[in-house]
Amino acid sequence: MENLNRLSSEQITKDLLPQKFGRRGLIWTGILAAICLVGLFAYYRQLKYGLVVTHMRDYASWGIYISNFVFFVAISLVGSLITAIFRLTNVHWATPLTRIAEIIAVSAIVFASLIIIVDMGRPERFLNLLIHGRIQSPIMWDVIVISTYFCISLLLLYMPLLPDLKILLQFKEKSGKWLNKLYRFQGSFWKGTAEQFKISERGITILCVTIIPVAFSIHTVTSWLFATTYRPGWDSTNFGAYFISGAFLVGAGGVVVAMYVFRKYYHLEKYITELHFDRMGKLVVMLSLLYLYFNINEFMTPVFKMKKSEASHLTDLFTGDFAFMFWAAIIGGLIIPIIVLLFKKGRRPLPMFIIGVMVVIGAWFKRYLIVTPTLLNPFLPMQEVPASYHVYFPSWEEWAIAMGSLAGCLLVITFFARIYPIIPIQETITEQNEKH
Amino acid sequence: MKNTNKIFIALIAAVLAIPFAALSQDSTKKELVLSVNYYMNSNKAIYVIANAKTKVAKKFTPVSGINISLFLDNDSSLIGKLTTDKDGLAKAIIPPSLKAAWDLSPKHSFKAVSEASKEFDATDAEASITKSRISVDTLADADARTVIAKVESFDGANWVPVKDVEMKLGVSRSAGAVLSAGDEATYTTDSTGTATAEFKKANLPGDEKGNIVLTAKVEENEALGNLIAEKIVPWGTAVKSDNSFFDQRTLWSTRFRTPFWLLFMAYSIVLGVWGTIIYLVIQIIKIKRIGTKGGTVLS
């Protein structure tokens, strides 16, 4: 934030106040809302006709919904990385990115919960998990840890927002009647007293300490949903670390994309500088290398042994039906980002944005590759089943619901950016005052 | 004018092509292999099963959704109209309305007629049988146990023994399989209609009382169809299922038998984390109270 040297508190406040949607903003919101509506219609059809409208059958009983769920859980981990880990280690350059990371975390975890209910087919049966759930089941652990993570993320979003709500309430004319009501409801009690700051700071520190193990748990438990079942490709002790490293990478990729978009759309060049992109670029390289290491661990040893029971799954991934997707995800989502971001020019905003998009898309397909090929290569051969059971390609309803959930997640982030400052105003002012 | 000619020629060509298209469509129809079989279970349940299959990549594959009419003796005695299931099978019990026709003769024929569909032409299949019965009994002495099966057919007035009937004779296993009682895979009836097998399968697991089910099974006999008879005998080893682990606290037990260590760990973590969340909510309430009271405002 070296560029902030000459900026007054008033200027920072003016720059960072939420802005009304322009034409591009309205078009963007309209497109997302339309995708969500198509997804809702597809879900209505699924509720009406049952899960038969999907292409999930006896073997591929987990499809694009579960891939999407794992993706959402993965991207939500970024909240703990950018906000908690950086805050606790006094990494101040990441301050403008904390709220972006937290809102990505909250919206992703909301849609992770929703998509798992979509996958259940009969949503009312979710209650059975609470009524008849067994604490021995990793599915129960996942339910507990997701709801916990959601609450902590929400608190971590809310507590640092309190001082900003006070600032927002000073601009009643700009905000409008309804937003003012919302701000008053959420933060009219924040006066900025020393005692309030003290309690708030301590609360945020406690949250940061708490969210790290919970974030690790959420994705480790999600990985255990797979690893505790005996199937080719999932029967791995590496899965917890493999999932977490991948989650940090996709989360960082998501933040890079959001940084670029918000910076460009809201003209935040003075706050999200090239330095931020440079440092995030280095972080993405480190996380990519880490994830690559766990990928090599995950595939190297089974390939070396090539056990008969695992061979068909591995062949499917490396040279078979899923080979194109697999190599595209590895090369496009891992290798190319490492190579490009090693160079300083590659860590400039536009290349970083493109790489961020590649990382996120690669990560989405990687989740699909974790879920589906395994189910289509069971230990016992598929016999006497209809030919359609041997393959899985999502139906249009599945695509619509999955894309609708992704659009919904983006819509939540978009509305948040419309209502609240996407860069913490008070923290930015305080940090500048501390510097000078 | 040139365009009109072109359209006219195209129309003529299209009209002429229709019969060829229809012919070519017919020629793409696959061959449906239909069969019909008669079954009698324990001399009581009598039913007929039609089986529809076709060759795909040199292998027979069941065909579902084929509409089939089943007849007894002639086309006027309809047993039932059925549709083949996913295994290509359609099963019908001979209805009470055909009892008179059934009792009339010791020999009967069954006919299955399939309807034509988009994929298959109409076809039919027939099977003839002589009314027969089968029984299974045992002989036991100090030295050996013997299983005896007897097959008889009805000649219109009396039940007469049937010789040279091949059958499986042994112990009923899961999915309709028969574990042979002796060393032979199958046994054949003699002139008295009797097949005999020495029971050599000692220590077979039975139910809680040691009961096993002896079975005599005639399969796809040209004259008799499919016959089966069963008898329960206490020749097995009593097996009492071990349910003791139901009371143990394991990872695979019911939710009421969760291991204590897991309960302790799970609830400690949940209480620890949720305790922190509740504490933080209380802190927010505290911030709210301070805000309503007022205090020194930091710039």
Side-chain angles (χ1 to χ4, degrees):
Chain A
M1 284 199 279
E2 283 74 3
N3 290 4
L4 295 182
N5 288 348
R6 292 179 301 276
L7 292 178
S8 64
S9 300
E10 289 74 23
Q11 184 63 44
I12 293 172
T13 309
K14 193 185 161 206
D15 289 345
L16 299 182
L17 279 178
Q19 296 167 28
K20 283 185 179 170
F21 288 143
R23 200 165 62 93
R24 278 185 300 171
L26 286 172
I27 293 169
W28 165 251
T29 312
I31 291 169
L32 291 179
I35 297 170
C36 285
L37 284 175
V38 175
L40 276 174
F41 174 68
Y43 185 53
Y44 157 75
R45 280 180 52 81
Q46 185 180 300
L47 283 178
K48 189 177 177 187
Y49 300 109
L51 277 173
V52 73
V53 302
T54 72
H55 283 168
M56 289 186 284
R57 294 293 182 264
D58 288 21
Y59 286 93
S61 54
W62 283 358
I64 197 173
Y65 295 155
I66 297 293
S67 316
N68 226 19
F69 162 72
V70 181
F71 173 79
F72 278 132
V73 173
I75 205 163
S76 75
L77 245 68
V78 73
S80 69
L81 172 73
I82 304 282
T83 313
I85 297 175
F86 284 0
R87 194 185 279 264
L88 289 174
T89 49
N90 283 326
V91 177
H92 290 295
W93 65 264
T95 305
L97 314 180
T98 52
R99 196 159 289 155
I100 295 176
E102 268 311 310
I103 186 58
I104 290 175
V106 170
S107 54
I109 207 69
V110 166
F111 280 89
S113 318
L114 291 178
I115 203 77
I116 209 81
I117 294 172
V118 167
D119 186 69
M120 290 175 78
R122 296 264 302 269
E124 77 280 6
R125 289 193 177 173
F126 181 76
L127 279 178
N128 289 347
L129 266 178
L130 307 177
I131 300 166
H132 307 293
R134 294 167 61 247
I135 198 74
Q136 296 103 311
S137 163
I139 289 179
M140 271 311 289
W141 308 343
D142 219 29
V143 170
I144 294 168
V145 83
I146 284 177
S147 49
T148 308
Y149 187 69
F150 169 72
C151 290
I152 297 177
S153 296
L154 208 59
L155 284 173
L156 198 51
L157 185 65
Y158 178 61
M159 287 188 88
L161 193 66
L162 285 170
D164 286 357
L165 287 171
K166 186 192 169 201
I167 295 168
L168 290 170
L169 280 166
Q170 291 165 5
F171 295 88
K172 286 178 187 168
E173 294 77 22
K174 196 167 186 265
S175 310
K177 190 181 159 190
W178 291 106
L179 283 184
N180 261 306
K181 269 191 176 176
L182 182 71
Y183 299 149
R184 257 205 313 277
F185 172 72
Q186 290 177 329
S188 61
F189 54 85
W190 181 268
K191 304 291 181 213
T193 66
E195 206 175 348
Q196 278 184 326
F197 265 112
K198 193 180 161 194
I199 296 171
S200 169
E201 283 300 319
R202 196 177 59 213
I204 291 168
T205 307
I206 292 171
L207 276 170
C208 290
V209 173
T210 316
I211 202 169
I212 296 168
V214 176
F216 272 70
S217 303
I218 186 176
H219 217 42
T220 307
V221 167
T222 303
S223 81
W224 287 349
L225 293 180
F226 299 92
T228 51
T229 59
Y230 185 52
R231 288 170 188 272
W234 294 354
D235 185 28
S236 161
T237 53
N238 184 42
F239 248 40
Y242 172 54
F243 267 50
I244 287 186
S245 58
F248 279 146
L249 174 62
V250 60
V255 168
V256 167
V257 174
M259 275 164 67
Y260 181 84
V261 173
F262 286 130
R263 179 181 193 256
K264 195 157 180 70
Y265 186 74
Y266 290 122
H267 307 293
L268 300 172
E269 288 82 359
K270 292 194 284 275
Y271 304 90
I272 302 174
T273 62
E274 294 211 0
L275 181 86
H276 289 104
F277 282 94
D278 184 70
R279 288 185 176 165
M280 279 304 289
K282 287 173 183 167
L283 182 71
V284 170
V285 171
M286 188 198 79
L287 293 171
S288 299
L289 285 168
L290 191 68
Y291 191 44
L292 187 65
Y293 167 75
F294 282 112
N295 266 280
I296 293 167
N297 266 282
E298 188 54 33
F299 293 109
M300 176 68 190
T301 44
V303 165
F304 193 84
K305 289 179 280 189
M306 215 50 163
K307 283 189 282 187
K308 198 179 172 185
S309 54
E310 306 242 354
S312 107
H313 169 246
L314 292 167
T315 312
D316 238 12
L317 285 180
F318 293 149
T319 53
D321 293 346
F322 295 98
F324 177 75
M325 201 190 287
F326 178 79
W327 291 114
I330 293 286
I331 295 169
L334 266 176
I335 310 283
I336 294 176
I338 293 171
I339 295 168
V340 172
L341 299 182
L342 278 175
F343 298 96
K344 198 168 175 59
K345 278 187 180 174
R347 297 195 296 271
R348 293 173 69 181
L350 185 61
M352 275 290 289
F353 169 70
I354 295 165
I355 290 297
V357 171
M358 283 169 68
V359 165
V360 172
I361 294 175
W364 192 90
F365 280 104
K366 193 74 174 57
R367 271 69 194 165
Y368 185 82
L369 288 165
I370 288 170
V371 176
T372 306
T374 285
L375 292 169
L376 293 175
N377 291 283
F379 282 130
L380 293 175
M382 292 190 216
Q383 285 176 337
E384 295 180 9
V385 292
S388 62
Y389 285 27
H390 289 260
V391 287
Y392 170 74
F393 188 80
S395 66
W396 81 260
E397 285 92 348
E398 287 175 272
W399 280 116
I401 292 171
M403 293 304 123
S405 65
L406 289 169
C409 183
L410 292 174
L411 205 55
V412 170
I413 297 169
T414 307
F415 280 129
F416 183 89
R418 167 65 191 90
I419 298 170
Y420 303 104
I422 202 70
I423 291 177
I425 301 174
Q426 183 63 54
E427 268 187 89
T428 309
I429 294 169
T430 309
E431 277 191 10
Q432 190 192 219
N433 291 344
E434 280 171 4
K435 267 185 192 171
H436 308 286
Chain B
M1 192 62 189
K2 271 184 180 177
N3 279 343
T4 316
N5 283 339
K6 277 182 186 171
I7 292 165
F8 182 71
I9 290 163
L11 276 173
I12 295 285
V15 171
L16 288 172
I18 288 170
F20 291 105
L23 278 174
S24 67
Q25 206 171 24
D26 274 346
S27 66
T28 58
K29 280 194 174 184
K30 287 182 273 186
E31 187 193 356
L32 184 74
V33 179
L34 195 64
S35 62
V36 60
N37 287 293
Y38 163 81
Y39 290 81
M40 188 185 64
N41 198 339
S42 302
N43 303 322
K44 287 173 192 164
I46 296 172
Y47 54 90
V48 184
I49 294 179
N51 186 353
K53 53 193 175 185
T54 189
K55 254 189 179 175
V56 177
K58 296 182 182 175
K59 281 183 181 174
F60 279 114
T61 310
V63 182
S64 61
I66 298 289
N67 293 325
I68 290 175
S69 300
L70 281 170
F71 298 97
L72 174 68
D73 296 330
N74 54 60
D75 289 358
S76 60
S77 303
L78 180 69
I79 296 173
K81 289 191 171 187
L82 309 152
T83 305
T84 55
D85 62 14
K86 63 181 174 52
D87 299 318
L89 303 176
K91 177 181 170 181
I93 294 166
I94 296 171
S97 57
L98 295 179
K99 186 175 185 307
W102 180 254
D103 292 341
L104 200 65
S105 165
K107 289 180 186 291
H108 290 288
S109 65
F110 301 96
K111 188 177 181 184
V113 181
S114 72
E115 283 178 15
S117 65
K118 278 183 185 173
E119 284 183 275
F120 303 101
D121 285 325
T123 186
D124 58 34
E126 279 191 62
S128 299
I129 58 108
T130 304
K131 272 190 207 169
S132 54
R133 66 185 184 187
I134 186 169
S135 60
V136 63
D137 211 341
T138 58
L139 270 178
D141 54 40
D143 299 325
R145 287 167 168 170
T146 309
V147 187
I148 301 163
K150 189 166 189 179
V151 181
E152 295 167 304
S153 65
F154 194 58
D155 65 0
N158 300 302
W159 289 98
V160 294
V162 188
K163 69 171 187 175
D164 296 334
V165 178
E166 195 179 24
M167 70 174 77
K168 286 179 179 170
L169 196 53
V171 183
S172 181
R173 310 304 286 167
S174 61
V178 176
L179 175 70
S180 183
D183 297 328
E184 308 296 326
T186 57
Y187 296 85
T188 309
T189 56
D190 58 17
S191 57
T192 64
T194 306
T196 308
E198 190 182 344
F199 188 80
K200 291 184 175 176
K201 299 290 188 291
N203 303 323
L204 275 183
D207 62 12
E208 286 190 358
K209 291 176 183 170
N211 287 330
I212 54 170
V213 180
L214 293 178
T215 302
K217 194 174 190 180
V218 176
E219 290 177 312
E220 295 183 8
N221 185 288
E222 279 188 15
L224 309 178
N226 298 273
L227 312 173
I228 189 164
E230 292 177 339
K231 184 180 175 70
I232 296 171
V233 291
W235 288 359
T237 312
V239 174
K240 208 167 187 178
S241 55
D242 178 15
N243 296 335
S244 60
F245 54 86
F246 280 1
D247 295 328
Q248 291 171 9
R249 290 183 174 272
T250 60
L251 285 173
W252 50 91
S253 318
T254 65
R255 66 201 183 105
F256 304 108
R257 296 260 177 264
T258 309
F260 284 118
W261 62 265
L262 181 64
L263 282 176
F264 175 75
M265 274 179 64
Y267 287 121
S268 313
I269 295 168
V270 169
L271 287 175
V273 176
W274 276 93
T276 310
I277 293 173
I278 292 165
Y279 170 77
L280 290 165
V281 172
I282 293 168
Q283 295 307 299
I284 293 172
I285 296 167
K286 216 168 166 182
I287 291 172
K288 196 172 179 179
R289 277 194 197 139
I290 293 166
T292 46
K293 270 196 309 192
T296 316
V297 178
L298 291 180
S299 58

